[in-house]
Structure formats: C-alpha cells, structure tokens
Amino acid sequence: MRIYLTNAGAVTLLEPLDFKRLDVLVDPQPAEQLERLIARIGQREGNEHLRLSPAVLRFISGHAGEPDWENGFAAMISYASQAGWVDAQGNVRAHLTPNENQAVVSEDEFKAAMRSLPAGVSAITTGIGEAVGGMIVSSLTSISAEPPLVGFFVNVTCSMAAPLLENGRFVANILSDTHGTVMSAFLTEKQGPDRFKRGQWVEGQHGPVLADALSSIECDIVNTEVLGTHRMIVGKIRKSSVHAANPMVHFNSGTHRLEAV
Ligand SMILES: Cc1cc2nc3c(=O)[nH]c(=O)nc-3n(C[C@H](O)[C@H](O)[C@H](O)COP(=O)(O)O)c2cc1C
C-alpha cells in the first residue's frame, strides 16, 4: 500500500491490495502544504517517517469490509507489529518516499490541449432571494446514472466557491445557443442578484432555475475535493427538466453553435 500525497493537494491510496509494503509517496511541494497533508493522515516522525493510524488506512483504502482485503490488512499489521513498527497506540510506522517522476506539461501546453476540448456551457446557481449566486462553467460532466450524479470543477478563488459549500446544493442550467445574454450577465455583473437580470429565472429549492435551459439539473452536494487550483463538486440529482433547443458549445476560447455533419 502506498499513500500518495500529491502536489494537487489530494490524498490517495495506490496499490491498496499490495500488503507487502507500506510507504508514503510524496510529490515535491511547499513545506506548509506537505505538513497539512501529513496532519490529515498521521504524525511526522523525523525527516523520513510518519506514524499512520490503521483507521486512516482503512478509510482511504476503498476496500475495508471486503473479507479478502480485511485478511490481507490484518496480516500486514500483524507483520508490522512483530517487526516493532507498531507503537503502543497501534499506529504504524511508514517511510516517506520522495516521488522522482515529476515530468509534467507546461501551463501553455495544458491550455493548448484543453482548448481542443469542445464542451457544453452551464450556468451553475445556488441560493434564494437576495442570497443567490451564479457562475459559468464548461466543466459540467455526467458521472453516474445509479445513483444519478453529475460534477463540475470550481476555481477555489471564484466567488461561488464558498456559497456552494455553505448551501450544499446547486442547479446546473445547461445553456442553449440563445442564452448569450445570460452568459454575459454572469461573466460581467457582480456576484449576486445582478447576475440574474437577463433570462427567465425562477426560484428553485436548490438555486435559481433557468426556465428555458436545455436542462436544469437540481442537486445536493455529496462529495468535494480540492485538486490543484479547483475544487471538484459532485452532486446527487434530485430533480431535472429538459427542453428541446440547440446547445451553446465552448471550443478554442470561443462559443459556437452545433452544426450537423
Ligand atoms: C466558457 C467558460 C467556461 C468556464 N468554466 C469554468 C469552470 O469550469 N470552472 C471555473 O471555476 N470557472 C470557469 N469559468 C470562469 C468562471 O465563469 C468565472 O468567470 C470565474 O470563476 C470568476 O468568477 P467570479 O467573478 O464569480 O469570482 C469559465 C468561464 C467561461 C467563459
């Protein structure tokens, strides 16, 4: 098992079924960020080791409760205990391994690749009355049909990042090619009711609903995680509506109409 402390700010477990080793793979990253990640999973022991709680390993494994995994995990903890790596509190010692594989693309290469990705445009909304908020995203994506889940990514510096978490709910309104003014109001007006001056907005339980959106998808937030500059928001769909129209498509830094080929 390898806990991976990425410089994206996430904690993941690699090789959860390999009980022959236990270490913590660490991307190069600012010391403060690394210490925050370490605090989420255990305590530092000198420069080269951590103390990990078995409960943390069980939580991030994604396999706790499966009989085969439980047997392998119990054998690993028992082996570590005999080797003297488990302390009086039951915490296991694990080595910190620097990650040598750091080849990544530049920001320009990333942007060029992402400009090649056509995507729908959605107005994400949350709140009621004077406390409404909204933002434009092209990152809305389908996740799962059973249970019904969608997700999108919000920049942690965006004015919607905090209201989304406080309300715990949102509406994803998928824009048609007639919603240019709705989009520009969202992009140019200050956060709040001013962003809803254009378009047919009606109050909804999860946030403002755009009456003639291609689809309005009303969700409760069920999972979030910060990944690099953005926070992933996953919503369980409580209610949805659909209207036939042509989509607005974002591609190569501009908006387009869809044309049949
Ligand atoms: C077509 C388009 C797609 C966008 N997609 C996203 C997105 O997926 N996530 C995101 O955080 N911001 C996205 N943005 C930027 C936001 O709409 C917004 O402008 C930015 O987060 C600043 O928001 P604020 O003024 O409310 O703080 C997109 C902007 C455009 C024009």
Side-chain angles (χ1 to χ4, degrees):
M1 302 171 91
R2 311 195 84 177
I3 294 186
Y4 184 21
L5 304 182
T6 72
N7 59 359
V11 178
T12 34
L13 188 65
L14 308 174
E15 304 162 24
L17 303 178
D18 180 356
F19 300 106
K20 295 266 180 286
R21 75 161 167 192
L22 174 65
D23 72 344
V24 180
L25 187 65
V26 181
D27 279 349
Q29 57 194 292
E32 214 175 277
Q33 179 178 320
L34 177 59
E35 294 311 314
R36 276 203 306 273
L37 286 178
I38 287 175
R40 284 171 64 183
I41 58 168
Q43 293 88 43
R44 183 186 269 286
E45 194 175 82
N47 283 336
E48 295 191 356
H49 294 93
L50 289 191
R51 284 277 167 194
L52 298 169
S53 152
V56 167
L57 292 167
R58 296 175 61 79
F59 181 74
I60 62 173
S61 73
H63 292 276
E66 294 171 12
D68 284 353
W69 188 88
E70 291 290 351
N71 289 338
F73 187 64
M76 185 181 82
I77 296 295
S78 156
Y79 176 79
S81 186
Q82 281 159 27
W85 300 330
V86 179
D87 66 16
Q89 288 74 43
N91 295 327
V92 197
R93 202 163 81 127
H95 193 256
L96 285 167
T97 309
N99 190 6
E100 309 291 355
N101 178 13
Q102 275 311 303
V104 291
V105 296
S106 67
E107 198 171 322
D108 284 349
E109 287 171 310
F110 167 81
K111 285 180 178 166
M114 290 306 110
R115 276 197 295 274
S116 313
L117 175 66
V121 179
S122 302
I124 303 286
T125 65
T126 191
I128 51 168
E130 289 298 297
V132 287
M135 72 180 293
I136 295 295
V137 306
S138 56
S139 55
L140 182 74
T141 188
S142 158
I143 297 179
S144 155
E146 178 52 50
L149 303 174
V150 291
F152 63 96
F153 297 88
V154 54
N155 195 306
V156 293
T157 64
C158 172
S159 60
M160 275 286 275
L164 281 165
L165 294 186
E166 277 158 26
N167 296 335
R169 48 181 60 190
F170 66 88
V171 184
N173 300 280
I174 303 176
L175 301 187
S176 77
D177 60 6
T178 63
H179 288 135
T181 55
V182 171
M183 179 171 170
S184 57
F186 269 48
L187 292 173
T188 56
E189 297 290 346
K190 71 172 180 344
Q191 187 56 276
D194 285 356
R195 290 195 176 175
F196 296 85
K197 284 194 292 202
R198 312 301 293 269
Q200 303 168 42
W201 291 103
V202 290
E203 196 166 281
Q205 280 190 352
H206 292 77
V209 173
L210 185 60
D212 59 347
L214 281 181
S215 181
S216 291
I217 303 166
E218 302 182 46
C219 300
D220 287 324
I221 295 174
V222 292
N223 196 7
T224 91
E225 169 111 41
V226 173
L227 298 165
T229 53
H230 283 58
R231 178 182 284 279
M232 176 185 72
I233 305 271
V234 178
K236 184 180 279 186
I237 307 174
R238 301 298 186 188
K239 195 175 163 191
S240 64
S241 57
V242 178
H243 295 98
N246 295 314
M248 185 186 290
V249 179
H250 184 68
F251 174 65
N252 200 15
S253 308
T255 47
H256 302 262
R257 291 202 161 84
L258 201 61
E259 209 176 279
V261 285

